[in-house]
Amino acid sequence: MPRCIPEPYKIKMVEPLQVTTREYRQQCMEEAGYNTFLLKSKDVFIDLLTDSGTSAMSEVQWAGLMRGDEAYAGSRNFDHLCEAVEEILGYAYTVPTHQGRGAEHLFFQNFVQAGDVVPMNMYFTTTRQHAELAGGVFQDVIVDEAHDPASKCLWKGNVDLEKLRALVDKYGPERVRMVSMAPNVNMAGGQPFSLANLKEVRQFCERRGIRIFMDITRIAENAYFIKEREEGYSDWSVRDIMREICAHSDGAWMSAKKDGLVNIGGFLAFHKGQEELFERCRRMVVVYEGLHTYGGMAGRDMEALAIGLGEVCDADYLAARVSQLRLLHGMLDEEGVPLVHPCGGHGVFLDAQAFLPHLDQDLFPAQMLAAQIYMEGGVRSMERGNVSAGRDPESGQNRRPPLELVRLTVPRRVYTQTHMEYAAESVIDVFRRRERIPGLKFTYEPEVLRFFQARFEPVTPTR
Ligand code: PM9
């Protein structure tokens, strides 16, 4: 089992957790329609649903809240946010939004045109949804290894240049007007791209006049992996690596609820040269989010974010975070639980198809596995498989993605080693009785982003 690197902080305030019985949790899960999104937080013991908006803020961030300038227009905290974005990430222009999907909405409505092909290093649910709402067609250009949970490739977030070239050859740069790269690719298991790969993609795109817009939601964790693994970067600070990543893009959006170390917030940011797009987004933010100097955030939220962007670059914090994830990954791996390898930067991902091989993917093994883990120990996780992928708009069939995963997502600076040990035990207990676990069928299926609100009931496989 890997040794855990101690966290470079201590606990100042505690939030009690409720211990519940198995019978009670079973009832909660039935009432939630076997969807962990529909559970009440008070009924959850260890909440590994998401790392989004669940971070613990530092004492400096809490102090920053008190410096919130809650003016409708021209809040000083907006200036602090713009300064942090420029200093740390290098972007000259910032459009604040209430969270990541607010930024995605503005970006895709203002950049993507009907019929555009939008290559990404794997899809993310809300990103693809906004690209499609704008009339774009998502295309996956991630390396094949990313779709194989067992592959130990260190750069599963890389773009496969040949896949990208084939797309551009087929549709031309008139329809492939942008490439989107996300660091620490969420749906692939929190897997990083290398700077070498990003530079190659940049070179390829520059020659053809294609722009790169990044989803920098988990940029610090990717930067840490680059420092740890990529030749030539071990002496670089995480902050410099983050800036270097951004330097190879034209702009970016960020859900600040992850590596911004805040509970709410997001932004769009652009480099010089993108003034026209920046102005279009800035004009639209007032329609959907709020004035262009707050974009749906309170002044205090912007202050906490400006501070959080600085704190997340701390290599000691990132080392402890990654080591905590590796501890959980290692405990599960030792017991033979099928996992995504290598361990990612924001969660430990279970390979639900290998965990429950008797269930066809249309019986939603990952959805059921997440439900079982909750009923076992009160640990909440998230399905990242067939339910999340939704239906193909043309065929109407479930997309049946190559990865059928359950994500145990670790909030930043929140849980201890003992919590990780408890979570691992809960998963291992489910693993020991895996043959007897039934599948699920929909009793309610929303049309878009169905995973958030869908309801299910158990169904026993017939094959
Ligand atoms: N990610 C997550 O839990 C929040 C819930 S959606 C299932 O992983 C990326 C890479 C994300 C992301 C949200 C968003 C949207 C954009 N890009 O949730 O709107 O991981 O702030 O950001 C979630 P917001």
Side-chain angles (χ1 to χ4, degrees):
M1 191 189 299
R3 261 192 78 228
C4 220
I5 297 175
E7 293 83 358
Y9 49 82
K10 59 185 177 178
I11 298 166
K12 182 177 284 195
M13 191 191 288
V14 295
E15 184 180 338
L17 296 174
Q18 172 154 286
V19 181
T20 52
T21 63
R22 195 174 206 295
E23 292 66 38
Y24 179 76
R25 293 193 294 271
Q26 176 129 9
Q27 191 193 326
C28 293
M29 192 39 89
E30 280 165 21
E31 283 168 10
Y34 290 83
N35 185 347
T36 53
F37 277 101
L38 302 181
L39 288 167
K40 289 192 186 344
S41 146
K42 72 171 176 57
D43 298 326
V44 174
F45 186 49
I46 312 271
D47 204 346
L48 307 184
L49 179 73
T50 178
D51 61 332
S52 180
T54 54
S55 300
M57 292 204 295
S58 68
E59 58 181 1
V60 184
Q61 286 177 296
W62 280 103
L65 293 186
M66 299 308 291
R67 297 200 302 271
D69 170 9
E70 305 308 340
Y72 187 87
S75 158
R76 66 172 170 262
N77 310 116
F78 175 63
D79 295 338
H80 296 167
L81 175 59
C82 294
E83 282 156 22
V85 169
E86 182 151 21
E87 265 177 50
I88 298 165
L89 304 170
Y91 294 116
Y93 309 115
T94 303
V95 183
T97 60
H98 75 285
Q99 60 181 77
R101 70 199 79 173
E104 290 172 337
H105 174 218
L106 300 180
F107 172 77
F108 284 105
Q109 287 298 324
N110 282 295
F111 185 79
V112 166
Q113 294 162 5
D116 276 2
V117 171
V118 185
M120 298 183 198
N121 56 345
M122 201 173 269
Y123 83 99
F124 183 70
T125 52
T126 58
T127 319
R128 178 164 69 191
Q129 190 67 51
H130 280 293
E132 288 175 355
L133 284 171
V137 182
F138 157 80
Q139 292 283 340
D140 189 2
V141 290
I142 205 164
V143 292
D144 285 343
E145 289 88 338
H147 294 289
D148 173 8
S151 159
K152 298 207 166 145
C153 167
L154 291 181
W155 303 110
K156 282 182 165 180
N158 278 0
V159 163
D160 182 328
L161 259 297
E162 287 318 307
K163 287 185 191 170
L164 181 59
R165 192 186 309 277
L167 269 187
V168 178
D169 286 350
K170 185 167 172 195
Y171 297 104
E174 309 76 37
R175 284 185 66 192
V176 187
R177 295 166 50 245
M178 66 169 278
V179 173
S180 171
M181 276 180 80
N184 193 34
V185 181
N186 193 353
M187 302 300 276
Q191 303 294 330
F193 59 62
S194 66
L195 257 167
N197 181 254
L198 173 61
K199 285 181 188 172
E200 269 187 295
V201 175
R202 182 64 167 172
Q203 227 180 30
F204 175 90
C205 289
E206 257 172 3
R207 279 196 216 119
R208 292 159 180 83
I210 298 170
R211 286 184 255 183
I212 296 186
F213 294 105
M214 294 203 292
D215 177 342
I216 55 167
T217 293
R218 296 185 178 84
I219 188 171
E221 288 159 2
N222 197 126
Y224 179 76
F225 284 132
I226 289 173
K227 182 175 171 62
E228 191 185 53
R229 312 182 169 159
E230 189 166 356
E231 215 186 311
Y233 293 98
S234 59
D235 293 341
W236 283 48
S237 69
V238 170
R239 197 176 162 128
D240 286 347
I241 296 173
M242 283 164 61
R243 207 181 154 93
E244 176 73 2
I245 291 173
C246 296
H248 296 289
S249 73
D250 294 287
W253 60 89
M254 180 175 198
S255 166
K257 299 170 73 173
K258 287 80 166 172
D259 271 350
L261 295 176
V262 287
N263 305 121
I264 195 71
F267 59 84
L268 263 173
F270 299 100
H271 279 307
K272 291 208 169 103
Q274 301 301 318
E275 285 78 8
E276 196 203 324
L277 183 55
F278 164 62
E279 285 302 341
R280 283 165 68 105
C281 295
R282 204 159 77 120
R283 278 198 294 272
M284 198 189 243
V285 77
V286 300
V287 181
Y288 291 102
E289 303 280 321
L291 196 74
H292 55 275
T293 59
Y294 74 85
M297 283 183 278
R300 54 181 172 269
D301 300 330
M302 293 189 282
E303 189 65 25
L305 172 53
I307 298 167
L309 285 174
E311 287 184 358
V312 81
C313 310
D314 176 4
D316 292 337
Y317 148 72
L318 287 162
R321 170 158 177 76
V322 169
S323 129
Q324 187 182 46
L325 288 158
R326 286 180 182 152
L327 175 84
L328 177 58
H329 193 271
M331 287 186 289
L332 294 171
D333 198 29
E334 258 176 29
E335 293 298 319
V337 175
L339 300 168
V340 172
H341 295 271
C343 179
H346 69 302
V348 172
F349 289 64
L350 311 180
D351 178 356
Q353 198 66 84
F355 198 116
L356 300 173
H358 57 289
L359 296 181
D360 182 81
Q361 206 173 2
D362 280 350
L363 293 175
F364 308 118
Q367 186 75 28
M368 185 45 135
L369 180 53
Q372 293 289 332
I373 293 167
Y374 169 73
M375 290 188 283
E376 188 66 43
V379 177
R380 171 152 71 169
S381 56
M382 189 192 290
E383 188 266 6
R384 300 276 72 175
N386 205 9
V387 179
S388 294
R391 289 184 188 271
D392 181 90
E394 301 216 322
S395 70
Q397 299 299 308
N398 289 320
R399 282 196 172 102
R400 298 175 67 96
L403 295 176
E404 179 70 19
L405 309 177
V406 167
R407 187 183 73 177
L408 300 162
T409 341
V410 180
R412 295 170 182 78
R413 308 192 290 204
V414 171
Y415 289 116
T416 65
Q417 176 166 341
T418 334
H419 289 126
M420 294 301 108
E421 286 165 5
Y422 177 88
E425 277 164 27
S426 301
V427 175
I428 291 162
D429 287 344
V430 176
F431 188 58
R432 294 201 175 119
R433 57 174 176 80
R434 60 192 181 281
E435 288 88 4
R436 303 194 299 281
I437 294 176
L440 288 171
K441 65 174 185 193
F442 279 108
T443 57
Y444 166 63
E445 182 184 355
E447 248 177 63
V448 283
L449 299 176
R450 62 184 184 175
F451 58 96
F452 281 127
Q453 291 158 331
R455 301 184 73 84
F456 303 83
E457 67 184 20
V459 56
T460 308
T462 46
R463 73 178 160 100

